[in-house]
Amino acid sequence: MKAYKRVWGLLLLVFFALIYLIPINARLLWQPDETRYAEISREMLQRGDWVVPHLLGLRYFEKPIAGYWFNNISQMIFGDSNFAVRFGSVFSTFVSALLVFWLANVLWHNRKTAYTATLIYLSFTLVFSIGTYSVLDPMLTLWINAAMVFSYFCLRASGNKQKALSWIALGLACGMGFMTKGFLALALPVIAVIPVVWREKRFKTLFGWGPLAVIVAVLLSLPWVLAIAHREPDYWNYFFWVENIQRFAEQDAQHKAPFWYFIPVLCLGSLPWLGLLPGSLANGWKKRVMRPELFFLLSWVLLPLIFFSIAKGKLPTYILPCFAPLALLMADYLDQLRQAGARRTLKANAIINIIFGSLAVIALVVMSGRLPFGHIRELYGPSEINRMLIGVLCFAVWALAGLLSLTQAKRWYWAAACPLVLSLLVGQALPQRIVDSKLQQQFVTNNIKLLRDSRYVLTGNVGIATSLAWVLKRSDIIMYDGKGELEYGLKYPDAVGRFISAPGFPAWLEKARLEGNVSLVVKTDDLEGNTTGLPPADSVIQSGRTELFFYKKLP
């Protein structure tokens, strides 16, 4: 048994390294998200200010501070690299996986089931996609997962010492979650636990010990809450009303989507284990009375899912906290299938992976432009055959892993290998049009000499602005004819001169060229209607939809 544990532990570590660690430095940073968070932390370290977030030297109050601290520490350790930018997300996902393993052991005292739950969690498409991407959601998910795990202990602890430690730990998790992404981290654990408290009549425990968790969360977050309120009195007004109320509830909320939006996200995100999804949820519901831990896990999956479905604004990343309990439900269901010798569900899961991988291969070939389908827009250019073949390889391996899990039903774990090559090579499979549109880091690097020689650098796109700032290591990028998410920061008096309108650009340029070279980087889409207003440049460099207009210093 010890040898079995060592082998499984080693395999999980190797799997984690292949999926999460090795690929993250090779892929360019995606904009606007990754370059934004990379630049915020770079500027915080440069300024030595760990209290007030700034982006491009402007106040940026869209999120609290703890997620940036993760990224700050990562950049302090690993430097200004793509690996450092993404390591905070990877580390958070790793700790979430440890929590899944720990809770599985507590629930079922079965190390094999715990390993299974961890493997399923780490190989979920949504988990590894977001867990290797620099956003704050993996960090928020870590604290919500921790809060839910400690909530389970809070409801099950017997002695006063155990209860106190559990509620203190819950308060710490909620406090860190609040400082990572705000009030949402406080709401989700409460929403998920209330049905359990109601069903088990634990109100006395909740109201008797709950204040301890609240006090701990307040004490943990209070120093920063007071510090930023002192430094920036408008922070909490903006963050509460704009970033919380408007984003989730109002009619003009960002990223509006229909109520059912998260259903396909949940299904696609649960690949390569989609075949287990219906049975694991149904099994949990059927056995909820006999096995209360399954009701706890169901509540953890479904209540946040319903909450986010009701909200006006929706993004796929929002339901990431639902996948830890889903992995636990699937691991328990899979264990029951193995014990019963039932192979039908496992075969169905394998067939789903074969179909998914095969359809993706067919789609790439059809959209490659190599077949006589004139009405289909080509995804890859004529010279991108290698990229197309790498994409085909990624999904062909997905289908092959599905085939192996079908022909060798006892080797169910082959399903976890489905996304292996995709994770390793997805950066090399992206079409150039996507690189030009969303991965401006390469464009900036290719033209770094001209840009570094420029006294002023302007752009009309916030994503490009953060790419420029990150590569050039300068935060004084000027916004041209568009403010985007920087609109709030540009309202402050000390931001004067950081925005130039299109009509005012010629006059501003004439004066600026007396001081030095000027570079304007734009997307051609952003210049519609304004191209004739741009003064003739000394050099124009174009790559896809991105153009650099270079103006030399006037004598």
Side-chain angles (χ1 to χ4, degrees):
M1 180 60 73
K2 288 184 178 180
Y4 172 86
K5 293 176 183 179
R6 285 197 297 268
V7 169
W8 262 98
L10 179 61
L11 287 175
L12 276 172
L13 288 175
V14 171
F15 180 82
F16 180 81
L18 290 173
I19 296 286
Y20 288 86
L21 291 175
I22 292 176
I24 62 174
N25 198 52
R27 298 198 302 262
L28 296 173
L29 297 181
W30 201 274
Q31 66 179 48
D33 292 331
E34 293 197 296
T35 50
R36 176 201 301 126
Y37 292 118
E39 180 58 19
I40 289 173
S41 287
R42 189 195 68 80
E43 292 184 31
M44 291 186 80
L45 291 173
Q46 185 182 61
R47 298 163 68 95
D49 184 355
W50 289 54
V51 175
V52 182
H54 286 75
L55 177 60
L56 303 179
L58 306 170
R59 293 167 179 84
Y60 190 78
F61 293 166
E62 292 203 3
K63 300 292 184 294
I65 201 70
Y68 304 137
W69 288 347
F70 266 62
N71 292 333
N72 293 357
I73 295 170
S74 180
Q75 288 189 31
M76 288 175 65
I77 297 172
F78 300 109
D80 297 333
S81 65
N82 294 357
F83 184 93
V85 172
R86 295 175 172 129
F87 185 76
S89 295
V90 171
F91 177 78
S92 299
T93 305
F94 177 74
V95 179
S96 285
L98 292 180
L99 289 171
V100 168
F101 182 84
W102 182 29
L103 185 57
N105 262 329
V106 170
L107 294 178
W108 301 305
H109 306 287
N110 187 322
R111 190 63 66 91
K112 187 173 183 179
T113 304
Y115 281 126
T116 300
T118 308
L119 179 64
I120 290 174
Y121 181 74
L122 289 173
S123 56
F124 275 140
T125 299
L126 192 71
V127 172
F128 79 76
S129 298
I130 302 174
T132 56
Y133 185 72
S134 184
V135 285
L136 301 183
D137 297 272
M139 302 165 201
L140 172 66
T141 298
L142 164 61
W143 300 122
I144 291 176
N145 288 342
M148 291 303 299
V149 170
F150 294 133
S151 294
Y152 184 82
F153 287 111
C154 289
L155 298 176
R156 299 290 182 268
S158 54
N160 286 338
K161 182 179 180 181
Q162 290 181 337
K163 288 181 179 180
L165 291 175
S166 298
W167 286 97
I168 288 171
L170 173 61
L172 291 173
C174 289
M176 287 302 299
F178 169 75
M179 289 203 298
T180 299
K181 217 168 180 181
F183 303 98
L184 181 65
L186 304 178
L188 278 185
V190 173
I191 291 170
V193 166
I194 284 297
V196 180
V197 173
W198 183 278
R199 182 172 180 268
E200 298 182 3
K201 303 296 186 293
R202 299 274 185 168
F203 293 104
K204 184 177 180 181
T205 301
L206 177 64
F207 292 114
W209 288 93
L212 176 60
V214 173
I215 291 170
V216 170
V218 169
L219 290 177
L220 178 66
S221 56
L222 192 60
W224 174 74
V225 168
L226 295 177
I228 196 166
H230 175 72
R231 293 268 305 275
E232 300 292 343
D234 191 49
Y235 176 87
W236 289 111
N237 174 61
Y238 175 84
F239 178 72
F240 180 75
W241 288 109
V242 177
E243 286 303 307
N244 286 270
I245 303 301
Q246 290 182 14
R247 172 164 291 192
F248 288 99
E250 294 191 1
Q251 291 299 321
D252 61 346
Q254 296 182 25
H255 315 296
K256 289 181 67 175
F259 179 83
W260 50 263
Y261 174 85
F262 287 117
I263 301 302
V265 173
L266 182 69
C267 293
L268 290 174
S270 63
L271 285 168
W273 306 101
L274 178 56
L276 300 179
L277 179 61
S280 60
L281 294 176
N283 180 68
W285 180 255
K286 289 177 183 177
K287 299 182 178 180
R288 68 190 185 281
V289 176
M290 182 173 36
R291 299 177 58 190
E293 79 277 8
L294 297 184
F295 183 80
F296 176 85
L297 296 175
L298 275 176
S299 182
W300 184 356
V301 173
L302 297 178
L303 269 295
L305 186 66
I306 294 171
F307 171 79
F308 285 119
S309 297
I310 294 172
K312 299 292 184 182
K314 297 177 177 68
L315 283 174
T317 55
Y318 292 173
I319 64 167
L320 189 59
C322 300
F323 281 80
L326 188 59
L328 290 160
L329 286 168
M330 285 186 176
D332 178 69
Y333 180 55
L334 184 58
D335 189 49
Q336 294 178 48
L337 292 176
R338 290 202 306 263
Q339 290 179 13
R343 306 294 181 192
R344 182 176 299 178
T345 301
L346 294 176
K347 289 181 178 180
N349 187 67
I351 291 171
I352 290 172
N353 286 319
I354 294 171
I355 292 173
F356 175 78
S358 301
L359 288 177
V361 168
I362 293 171
L364 287 175
V365 172
V366 169
M367 292 189 294
S368 67
R370 270 73 186 174
L371 298 178
F373 297 107
H375 61 286
I376 295 179
R377 185 181 180 185
E378 295 181 5
L379 184 63
Y380 292 95
S383 61
E384 296 184 87
I385 183 66
N386 289 340
R387 297 189 184 201
M388 187 270 288
L389 291 176
I390 291 173
V392 168
L393 175 64
C394 291
F395 290 104
V397 170
W398 190 301
L400 177 61
L403 181 62
L404 289 172
S405 63
L406 175 65
T407 56
Q408 303 181 47
K410 292 184 179 179
R411 305 292 187 264
W412 55 269
Y413 42 78
W414 273 110
C418 286
L420 183 59
V421 175
L422 177 64
S423 177
L424 288 168
L425 298 181
V426 64
Q428 288 71 45
L430 293 175
Q432 188 61 42
R433 66 174 60 190
I434 293 180
V435 174
D436 292 337
S437 176
K438 292 294 185 180
L439 302 166
Q440 305 294 345
Q441 187 181 7
Q442 187 62 58
F443 180 85
V444 177
T445 302
N446 291 342
N447 298 285
I448 196 166
K449 187 177 186 307
L450 282 180
L451 292 166
R452 280 183 173 165
D453 289 342
S454 298
R455 170 66 179 83
Y456 295 102
V457 178
L458 302 87
T459 182
N461 182 282
V462 177
I464 295 177
T466 54
S467 292
L468 288 163
W470 171 252
V471 177
L472 299 175
K473 309 305 177 193
R474 57 185 290 184
S475 58
D476 60 340
I477 310 300
I478 298 174
M479 297 307 299
Y480 165 78
D481 200 38
K483 300 178 181 180
E485 63 195 80
L486 301 177
E487 183 174 4
Y488 176 81
L490 286 167
K491 293 179 180 178
Y492 281 79
D494 56 6
V496 172
R498 298 297 306 278
F499 171 77
I500 307 297
S501 65
F505 179 68
W508 176 89
L509 179 65
E510 187 176 352
K511 295 179 181 179
R513 293 179 73 179
L514 297 175
E515 301 179 42
N517 299 331
V518 177
S519 288
L520 171 64
V521 182
V522 295
K523 281 188 176 181
T524 52
D525 296 347
D526 298 334
L527 280 179
E528 289 184 7
N530 296 321
T531 53
T532 56
L534 281 177
D538 295 291
S539 301
V540 179
I541 300 172
Q542 183 172 3
S543 177
R545 294 186 297 161
T546 306
E547 287 188 274
L548 188 159
F549 295 81
F550 182 75
Y551 301 89
K552 291 182 180 179
K553 178 182 179 181
L554 294 176

